[in-house]
Amino acid sequence: MPLYKIKLIDRQAIAIQTIKFVFEKPLGFTFKPGQYAGVTLINPPETDAGGITRRFSILSSPDDTELAIVTRIQSSAFKRVLNQLPLGSEVKFAGPTGTFTLHEDQSIPAVLIAGGIGIAPFYSMIRYATQHRQSQPLYLFYGNQSIQHAAFLNELSDAQQNHSLFKLIATMDTPDSAWQGEHGYITSTLIKKYISDLAQPNYYICGSPVMVTTLQETLVEMGIEEEKIRVEDFPGY
Ligand SMILES: Cc1cc2nc3c(=O)[nH]c(=O)nc-3n(C[C@H](O)[C@H](O)[C@H](O)COP(=O)(O)OP(=O)(O)OC[C@H]3O[C@@H](n4cnc5c(N)ncnc54)[C@H](O)[C@@H]3O)c2cc1C
């Protein structure tokens, strides 16, 4: 796997405890939407048992001139150090790798199911598909605690306005009164409400291990063939 040293060039808070980190993109770096990389801190001022490396989905579209990742800041030394890394600092970046990428047959719809920060690989897929006006229908079920926790909600709404084949179904567990979308967890009832022919699409699930396992079981109980379900779970959530 290719290994690079890349510089942090920007950091943006985009939702509660959720930070987007932007890095310089190495010359000639290419990847498929949905792939990930290993990010390793160089000489961090503190470490813990979790170590100095984490894997992150590449948030950017392959067309972007920079490389971005997004994460929820939790209590690990890795996240503390990353969150305070001065702009211009370097990290090691090993990738791209991974096979959590969309199927190639554009006539088969893709149902993307994201829990919280599990949006990361899908955001890359959706941006690339909309930038290239791809003919593949994309349905994104995006579950969050509240609007304030939901990263890229405005950008995804805009993508839906601009690309008729992309449908966003956002749902909040504990929405405030201003929220007009779906309420509660992503369930079989919610999926059936928007997907009329359940047998046609391929299904992709990304989020915490508990969320991924639960939704995978839900899809199987709904009669979806197991080979039509692809999953990526984010340990540590
Ligand atoms: C392919 C892939 C892509 C990923 N992409 C992203 C991404 O885009 N954004 C993102 O935020 N995260 C992503 N992750 C997860 C990421 O690598 C970290 O594991 C996560 O962000 C938690 O890191 P942390 O430092 O906050 O917590 P950690 O220090 O890693 O762990 C937090 C807590 O979880 C527990 N824990 C750690 N690992 C496990 C495990 N395997 N099983 C059960 N409990 C465990 C720890 O004991 C601790 O209590 C990805 C993981 C994979 C495998």
Side-chain angles (χ1 to χ4, degrees):
M1 192 193 317
L3 178 64
Y4 304 89
K5 273 189 185 174
I6 58 174
K7 270 188 192 153
L8 179 67
I9 52 176
D10 196 17
R11 176 196 284 113
Q12 298 159 16
I14 49 160
I16 289 181
Q17 287 183 310
T18 307
I19 311 280
K20 174 180 167 183
F21 295 88
V22 184
F23 298 91
E24 274 179 3
K25 184 171 170 175
L27 211 59
F29 185 90
T30 56
F31 63 96
K32 288 186 179 171
Q35 287 194 295
Y36 69 94
V39 173
T40 300
L41 301 170
I42 300 172
N43 300 322
E46 59 162 329
T47 57
D48 61 17
I52 60 171
T53 300
R54 295 290 185 280
R55 286 163 290 179
F56 293 104
S57 302
I58 302 173
L59 180 71
S60 322
S61 158
D63 292 347
D64 293 345
T65 53
E66 294 153 349
L67 278 179
I69 60 168
V70 66
T71 191
R72 298 258 207 249
I73 299 303
Q74 305 186 115
S75 60
S76 69
F78 179 97
K79 295 272 177 87
R80 271 198 300 279
V81 172
L82 183 66
N83 199 25
Q84 288 164 17
L85 209 59
L87 298 186
S89 305
E90 287 187 319
V91 297
K92 288 185 195 163
F93 194 87
T97 186
T99 56
F100 192 67
T101 53
L102 283 177
H103 54 274
E104 292 195 348
D105 184 344
Q106 300 263 311
S107 68
I108 299 176
V111 172
L112 316 175
I113 302 176
I117 202 67
I119 190 64
F122 298 143
Y123 192 64
S124 176
M125 293 173 187
I126 291 161
R127 285 199 52 237
Y128 187 78
T130 53
Q131 283 163 345
H132 290 260
R133 315 292 310 163
Q134 288 186 337
S135 58
Q136 183 171 51
L138 296 177
Y139 298 84
L140 173 67
F141 290 86
Y142 185 23
N144 276 281
Q145 209 174 313
S146 70
I147 305 177
Q148 291 74 26
H149 289 83
F152 310 119
L153 204 52
N154 291 338
E155 292 86 344
L156 291 164
S157 299
D158 290 347
Q160 178 175 236
Q161 298 299 323
N162 296 328
H163 188 65
S164 60
L165 292 173
F166 169 54
K167 171 82 183 154
L168 168 66
I169 304 113
T171 180
M172 306 295 159
D173 311 348
T174 51
D176 58 29
S177 53
W179 175 244
Q180 296 187 336
E182 297 288 349
H183 291 211
Y185 291 146
I186 301 167
T187 59
S188 58
T189 309
L190 187 68
I191 296 169
K192 283 179 195 158
K193 182 172 167 185
Y194 290 93
I195 309 297
S196 49
D197 181 359
L198 289 171
Q200 204 197 2
N202 287 338
Y203 294 79
Y204 298 80
I205 313 171
C206 187
S208 69
V210 170
M211 176 266 176
V212 167
T213 306
T214 305
L215 263 302
Q216 196 172 9
E217 286 169 3
T218 300
L219 292 180
V220 171
E221 282 162 15
M222 288 165 69
I224 314 293
E225 292 169 36
E226 290 196 34
E227 55 270 26
K228 293 190 135 258
I229 306 170
R230 310 265 313 276
V231 304
E232 183 109 288
D233 67 28
F234 288 1
Y237 287 109

